[in-house]
Amino acid sequence: MQTSATYERQDYLHINTYKFTCNFDIPEDFGEIGAILVENEYDEKMFFKTIAIGNDVTFTCESWIQSKTNVPEKRIFFTDKSYLPSETPEALKSLRAADLESLRGNGEGERQSYDRIYDYDVYDDLGDPEESLRLARPVLGGDEHPYPRRCRTGRPMSTIDPSAETRNLGRPFYVPCDEHFSEIKDLQFGATFLYNVLHEIVPTLDAIYTDKDKGFPLFTDIDLLYNQGVNVPPADNSITSEFPRLVEVVDAAHTIIQFQTPETIDRDTFSWFRDEEFCRQMLAGLNPYSIQLVTEWPLMSKLDPEIYGPPESGITKEIIQKEIGGVMSFEEALAQKKLFMLDYHDLLLPYVNKTRKLKGTTLYGSRTIMFLTPEGTLRPLAIELTRPPSDEKPQWNHVYTPTWNATGAWLWKLAKAQVLSHDSAYHELVSHWLRTHCVTEPYIIATNRQLSQMHPIKRLLLPYFRYTMQINSLARLGLINAGGVIESAFSPGRYCMQICSDAYDQLWRFDHEALPADLISRGMAVEDSTAPHGVKLTIEDYPFANDGLLIYDAIKQWATSYVNQYYPQADLVVSDEELQAWWNEIRTVGHEDKKDESWWPQLKTQDDLIGILSTIIWVTSGHHSAVNFGQYDFAGYFPNRPTIARTKMPNEDPTDEEWQSFIKRPEDVLLNCFPSQIQATKVMAVLDVLSSHSPDEEYIGGTIEPAWEAEPAVKVAFAEFQETLNQLESIIDSRNTDPLLSNRGGAGVVPYQLLKPYSDRGVTGKGVPNSISI
């Protein structure tokens, strides 16, 4: 049966939307309708939301249909009823196979904007040797620099460096057209703002700050960013309307970029200066994924001592005992799990000498030790900074402790700034980019290549993958690329993505990505079948973990109900050829450099599948939200989380002049260590957008998908999931007002809300969207 459609125009959110109508003559003995084929005879692509036949047959499309001029093959859509491969009606089997085949690339050809092809490639497009040899970067992916795979674009290789793909910045990177934002979404979506920040605001700031090395002379100059703003050339109306929080037109000749005061500083101007807040934010701040329990002593490096110096840490038992004297002995503290650390020693030390050759930055390997007080809060005990030996100098190592004299107190503040720059880089490169955005892209590619539209697992995962590939392509365009915002403003500069690769190689494991497993791997929890979530926290008042476990458990229960509906027996999991191909491709192709690891979960039972799906959904929702939407509140005032340390410690091989300058004006030394004016303002502008929720954000448990609603048992399970998440709002509010939970609140402290499921639009410091969509 074939027919053409007529249309009428409708107005929806000021978008030109149309309702197409056509008539089908369906024989009485046709049977159940399962699929429809669509051809677009217009010259432009069209976004199809739904197709309804009568009152009871619905096809949820949510997809771009390309002009037949570009794509002559008809698009296949299936009804909202889901089928396992073995249960597919005979008449639909060939269409199911044909639709899947149309999505699979074969590693050949340059992809066009109208393609729907999903294929894999290494990260060989972050450098730009065509522009300049100083922008050449190593390929990420392969034996030398292991890394997850990205979506293949097929652009030509560079004539300057045959290992690098050309960037061709005249047009956006290819992503399959079904990953593009819908026209409705595109108007108000954060990615549009991010693109414009990278192409309008960042270049504007680059132009007005002619001295790229100039720092802030006084702390009051930092305050002016929020009180007066930065004068920039007059903006056109379109840019002004895009950035109501950032850009303000004073008059025809005056435009300013004025930053909003982050809530952390709005509540307490001096919170960033205090040791207790330094530690509290490791449990309830932007990067709660790095703190770990100290389980062995002495602390030892795994690096080659012939290259990097003695492996044993300079933080001794005696230093720890001195700092906790009167409370308990060192042995008691270690045995009772009272010692915790941030350990960036082995990850950063190999890059110290290389980074120090770059202009305007420095680097150390670092360890930070903290003590869990009887009140349940953390107190810093020691910071160790290490510079490895080089051809010119021997190893330099120093341990800083909180002291009660002026010189020592300023050295301690400067040591904290160094550690915070390490933590900021690790957060952005590893906790945020690698562990959410980057590792998820192979899941999305495999899902589209191996799971049919009508497969229930694809329909489960679809909302948790929505728009992620588009966001990742923008990151490659202007954030993680050579010379991009990350390299230009974060330690360790041009080596940022190589460190990201090292972290993937040394630290990333799929079986540790579910929240309970992550906590156990860091010693922050132990398995306990009698505990509410099956784990007992090492630090009871750990806001990220306490709230995160509520969300993770809700996700797992939702995944359990969903999986058991479609897979009542384990043999259905084993015999599902699409599902098995999906999991195999994720492990052996999408994460090819990890394919031989023994820790990959098997996929043989319903519980195996539930665990895999719960992990993926947690990563795209709870994990990403915890490390993303607080970025402006915690790092928008950069002394709280400097992204880079530009100068070495004053007591590291100082000249007499350097030391006297520090003694005379230690505040100047701290300000010079902080990011420069251009570095700070570029990062602040980007973080403002990254921390924002769009007006039509799709929150976890917020809206039921049509395919879920079509199955009564799944509809009931989703309603239970939704109700659980609604209850979390009041639970988290109650926790934040509990005076006994000192890590969640207090005088001038921002309550921990990053895992509250729902939010208003804008920068709110809360809200858990389904997917990594900004």
Side-chain angles (χ1 to χ4, degrees), residues 106-403:
N106 60 4
E108 298 178 0
E110 182 174 359
R111 302 272 63 90
Q112 305 301 318
S113 61
Y114 49 77
D115 283 336
R116 294 173 64 226
I117 304 299
Y118 293 81
D119 209 346
Y120 299 93
D121 207 346
V122 293
Y123 280 75
D124 57 1
D125 62 348
L126 300 181
D128 193 4
E130 301 274 325
E131 175 69 21
S132 170
L133 286 177
R134 67 180 181 82
L135 295 177
R137 294 293 181 270
V139 173
L140 302 186
D143 293 341
E144 188 172 356
H145 298 291
Y147 214 57
R149 298 306 191 254
R150 64 167 174 88
C151 183
R152 181 183 178 277
T153 66
R155 293 189 305 276
M157 305 305 285
S158 167
T159 57
I160 305 297
D161 179 0
S163 68
E165 190 173 270
T166 54
R167 286 176 62 80
N168 193 8
L169 295 183
R171 55 191 175 91
F173 288 150
Y174 165 80
V175 296
C177 64
D178 282 351
E179 306 298 328
H180 296 179
F181 304 125
S182 71
E183 187 174 348
I184 294 169
K185 194 75 170 175
D186 208 17
L187 281 188
Q188 305 184 48
F189 205 64
T192 305
F193 296 166
L194 176 58
Y195 182 88
N196 287 334
V197 162
L198 295 175
H199 286 80
E200 300 290 344
I201 303 298
V202 169
T204 297
L205 291 169
D206 261 324
I208 62 173
Y209 288 118
T210 53
D211 183 355
K212 307 303 181 188
D213 299 321
K214 185 178 181 181
F216 292 87
L218 301 167
F219 277 94
T220 52
D221 293 305
I222 300 174
D223 296 338
L224 291 178
L225 295 173
Y226 315 101
N227 300 330
Q228 295 183 8
V230 180
N231 289 308
V232 298
D236 62 49
N237 291 333
S238 64
I239 296 301
T240 304
S241 63
E242 289 284 358
F243 306 107
R245 267 179 58 96
L246 277 175
V247 181
E248 179 183 346
V249 177
V250 179
D251 53 44
H254 296 88
T255 300
I256 60 173
I257 295 176
Q258 183 163 355
F259 297 97
Q260 304 291 316
T261 303
E263 189 175 1
T264 49
I265 302 305
D266 192 42
R267 285 177 177 248
D268 184 350
T269 306
F270 302 106
S271 61
W272 67 277
F273 219 59
R274 298 198 309 270
D275 284 355
E276 61 267 30
E277 184 65 7
F278 171 75
C279 287
R280 189 192 74 84
Q281 289 185 19
M282 297 176 194
L283 301 172
L286 192 54
N287 184 31
Y289 271 100
S290 283
I291 187 170
Q292 58 183 294
L293 178 70
V294 176
T295 57
E296 296 179 350
W297 201 270
L299 303 176
M300 300 289 288
S301 170
K302 296 178 182 178
L303 299 174
D304 185 348
E306 294 294 322
I307 300 174
Y308 298 104
E312 188 167 328
S313 169
I315 303 177
T316 63
K317 167 185 171 181
E318 288 73 23
I319 291 174
I320 300 301
Q321 185 64 71
K322 178 183 176 183
E323 293 301 316
I324 61 173
V327 179
M328 62 178 62
S329 69
F330 168 83
E331 288 77 13
E332 289 172 327
L334 187 64
Q336 295 178 27
K337 300 182 178 181
K338 302 295 184 183
L339 298 178
F340 297 84
M341 69 175 170
L342 293 185
D343 187 358
Y344 297 129
H345 183 276
D346 283 12
L347 185 66
L348 296 182
L349 202 64
Y351 290 89
V352 168
N353 289 331
K354 293 188 286 188
T355 299
R356 286 177 166 228
K357 293 178 182 178
L358 304 176
K359 182 182 178 182
T361 188
T362 193
L363 192 64
Y364 295 94
S366 69
R367 297 183 180 99
T368 304
I369 302 295
M370 293 152 285
F371 174 68
L372 183 64
T373 69
E375 293 77 26
T377 58
L378 290 170
R379 178 161 68 86
L381 303 180
I383 292 173
E384 178 184 28
L385 300 179
T386 303
R387 181 198 71 201
S390 65
D391 293 338
E392 302 85 24
K393 298 177 181 178
Q395 184 197 67
W396 181 88
N397 175 283
H398 194 87
V399 176
Y400 301 87
T401 58
T403 59

Side-chain angles (χ1 to χ4, degrees), residues 498-519:
Q498 286 178 245
I499 286 180
C500 189
S501 167
D502 289 350
Y504 177 70
D505 183 34
Q506 299 168 24
L507 305 174
W508 186 84
R509 296 175 48 154
F510 182 88
D511 64 328
H512 285 177
E513 292 305 287
L515 180 58
D518 167 75
L519 295 170

Side-chain angles (χ1 to χ4, degrees), residues 126-128 131 134-137 167 198 202 206 475-489 493-497 682:
L126 300 181
D128 193 4
E131 175 69 21
R134 67 180 181 82
L135 295 177
R137 294 293 181 270
R167 286 176 62 80
L198 295 175
V202 169
D206 261 324
R476 302 204 324 269
L477 192 67
L479 289 176
I480 63 171
N481 60 303
V485 171
I486 301 297
E487 277 197 5
S488 64
R494 64 174 294 154
Y495 302 109
C496 279
M497 296 308 292
K682 281 200 299 187

Side-chain angles (χ1 to χ4, degrees), residues 402-590:
T403 59
W404 304 105
N405 65 77
T407 300
W410 273 102
L411 287 172
W412 173 250
K413 291 178 179 67
L414 284 156
K416 287 198 298 181
Q418 297 284 345
V419 168
L420 285 168
S421 73
H422 304 164
D423 194 59
S424 292
Y426 187 89
H427 159 261
E428 206 64 78
L429 294 170
V430 181
S431 300
H432 185 195
W433 165 255
L434 173 66
R435 291 183 63 181
T436 64
H437 290 259
C438 185
V439 302
T440 297
E441 188 148 334
Y443 308 154
I444 301 171
I445 298 171
T447 298
N448 284 278
R449 285 169 54 90
Q450 300 299 340
L451 299 181
S452 163
Q453 284 183 52
M454 64 174 72
H455 199 291
I457 300 305
K458 180 171 185 177
R459 284 176 161 165
L460 172 66
L461 290 174
L462 188 62
Y464 304 108
F465 290 161
R466 202 164 275 151
Y467 308 123
T468 299
M469 288 181 70
Q470 182 93 332
I471 285 293
N472 287 2
S473 74
L474 285 177
R476 302 204 324 269
L477 192 67
L479 289 176
I480 63 171
N481 60 303
V485 171
I486 301 297
E487 277 197 5
S488 64
F490 282 73
S491 294
R494 64 174 294 154
Y495 302 109
C496 279
M497 296 308 292
Q498 286 178 245
I499 286 180
C500 189
S501 167
D502 289 350
Y504 177 70
D505 183 34
Q506 299 168 24
L507 305 174
W508 186 84
R509 296 175 48 154
F510 182 88
D511 64 328
H512 285 177
E513 292 305 287
L515 180 58
D518 167 75
L519 295 170
I520 292 169
S521 73
R522 292 187 282 122
M524 302 303 292
V526 293
E527 289 189 67
D528 183 347
S529 60
T530 66
H533 308 287
V535 295
K536 181 180 180 181
L537 295 178
T538 312
I539 299 177
E540 291 184 11
D541 183 14
Y542 186 179
F544 158 71
N546 280 302
D547 294 357
L549 286 168
L550 290 173
I551 290 184
Y552 180 82
D553 278 2
I555 289 170
K556 188 170 184 180
Q557 183 54 55
W558 160 231
T560 299
S561 298
Y562 192 96
V563 166
N564 287 335
Q565 172 62 28
Y566 292 101
Y567 297 93
Q569 297 93 32
D571 63 331
L572 290 173
V573 174
V574 176
S575 63
D576 185 336
E577 64 267 23
E578 287 186 10
L579 188 70
Q580 294 296 329
W582 168 76
W583 184 234
N584 182 66
E585 187 166 289
I586 285 173
R587 294 181 293 110
T588 64
V589 184

Side-chain angles (χ1 to χ4, degrees), residues 712-743:
V714 173
K715 183 178 180 180
V716 170
F718 182 79
E720 293 172 352
F721 179 49
Q722 195 171 49
E723 178 59 27
T724 300
L725 292 170
N726 287 333
Q727 292 171 2
L728 297 193
E729 295 274 316
S730 59
I731 293 173
I732 291 173
D733 284 339
S734 176
R735 289 174 171 177
N736 284 336
T737 56
D738 187 340
L740 299 179
L741 301 179
S742 300
N743 294 322

